[in-house]
Amino acid sequence: MLHRLLVPLCVLSLAACGGESDEAEAADESAAVSSTEAALTSELSDEVGTTGTPEDLAAAAETRVKANMQPSSCLTTTTAGATTTYVFNNCTGRYGLVTMTGTVTATYSRPSSDVVRVLIESTGFKANDATLNLKATVDATQQGSVKRAEIASETSGTGPRGNTVSREGDYTVTWDEATECITLDGTTGSTRVTSTTVSGFRKCKAQCPSSGTIVHSGARGREVTLTYDGSANAAWSTSGGRSGTVALRCGP
């Protein structure tokens, strides 16, 4: 009888689910960090339509990124050759990036005529209530109006809830400048989380994720699946048959 009562309680409240609720929050924490990282890498690698040398790409990126930041005085930059150093001080940018503070370096190259490669590195970069130590290689391409980046990333730091995140993996980002929306697909692994697979995760500026699923495989062999629908809560279910919701830190 007690077991029959516990399952409905678990559906109604994350607190009743113990480890499953922790893993659901950890999965969403990983997604929040990934979307922040994707927004930053998209902003810094948007020169895919620019012609010229790597030095030209760095100069064009410096001008464009400065124009996209608010207030205009929040960002200082230095470009040497094909490397631009960005120093953010409480900046707000595109793709839902808010309260950015820290130093980021971006080194530009062109491995082929239709690909822009950017090596992005930062330590202690703060954005959207997360703190990131980031090393990412971004290969950006464009087909029509759609821009796409293949990203190989090593990231550590803390997420919006204050949980430690340490992971590496490959994922794909597409972004739309007109709507300031980003879509994520890929898999990362970490010491905290065995693996997190993101499919169709879509987030637009000042909104909660409108779609997507995350499958989080924990260290104890359990799987937690999160589903996003644009609301301020994500539904979760486990491989053990339990379910619930987790409150998201998103929106305006």
Side-chain angles (χ1 to χ4, degrees):
M1 181 66 175
L2 178 60
H3 173 72
R4 293 172 62 186
L5 289 173
L6 283 175
V7 173
L9 284 173
C10 181
V11 173
L12 293 173
S13 171
L14 279 171
C17 300
E20 285 90 345
S21 67
D22 292 341
E23 290 176 18
E25 288 193 354
D28 180 64
E29 191 93 307
S30 180
V33 169
S34 293
S35 65
T36 298
E37 177 183 297
L40 177 64
T41 55
S42 297
E43 181 64 81
L44 298 182
S45 61
D46 212 8
E47 269 48 60
V48 65
T50 302
T51 59
T53 66
E55 291 77 10
D56 294 331
L57 297 175
E62 178 182 20
T63 299
R64 178 186 52 75
V65 174
K66 288 181 75 172
N68 288 338
M69 294 298 117
Q70 296 293 330
S72 58
S73 60
C74 75
L75 176 64
T76 58
T77 59
T78 304
T79 296
T83 298
T84 299
T85 300
Y86 301 90
V87 181
F88 299 86
N89 184 12
N90 201 27
C91 294
T92 296
R94 301 184 300 170
Y95 309 116
L97 286 168
V98 295
T99 60
M100 292 183 288
T101 296
T103 300
V104 181
T105 61
T107 300
Y108 297 83
S109 61
R110 191 183 288 280
S112 64
S113 61
D114 60 344
V115 176
V116 169
R117 177 170 292 166
V118 191
L119 173 62
I120 299 171
E121 297 181 280
S122 182
T123 300
F125 182 78
K126 299 180 184 298
N128 298 6
D129 295 324
T131 300
L132 305 179
N133 304 311
L134 170 66
K135 183 176 182 180
T137 300
V138 182
D139 282 349
T141 58
Q142 182 171 357
Q143 292 184 340
S145 61
V146 177
K147 295 184 178 181
R148 175 187 178 100
E150 303 293 337
I151 300 175
S153 171
E154 298 176 16
T155 303
S156 63
T158 56
R161 293 182 175 86
N163 294 321
T164 299
V165 176
S166 178
R167 60 187 179 75
E168 60 181 274
D170 302 323
Y171 60 93
T172 300
V173 178
T174 59
W175 67 95
D176 185 326
E177 291 181 279
T179 61
E180 296 190 33
C181 294
I182 287 179
T183 302
L184 285 173
D185 293 275
T187 300
T188 61
S190 75
T191 55
R192 175 179 170 82
V193 182
T194 302
S195 68
T196 301
T197 300
V198 183
S199 302
F201 180 92
R202 180 176 173 83
K203 189 176 187 305
C204 300
K205 179 180 180 180
Q207 297 178 24
C208 292
S210 60
S211 63
T213 59
I214 294 175
V215 178
H216 164 104
S217 299
R220 286 174 284 184
R222 286 190 300 224
E223 280 193 354
V224 177
T225 300
L226 275 76
T227 303
Y228 298 88
D229 63 3
S231 70
N233 295 283
W236 61 265
S237 60
T238 73
S239 53
R242 293 181 173 178
S243 60
T245 60
V246 58
L248 306 178
R249 299 193 174 192
C250 56

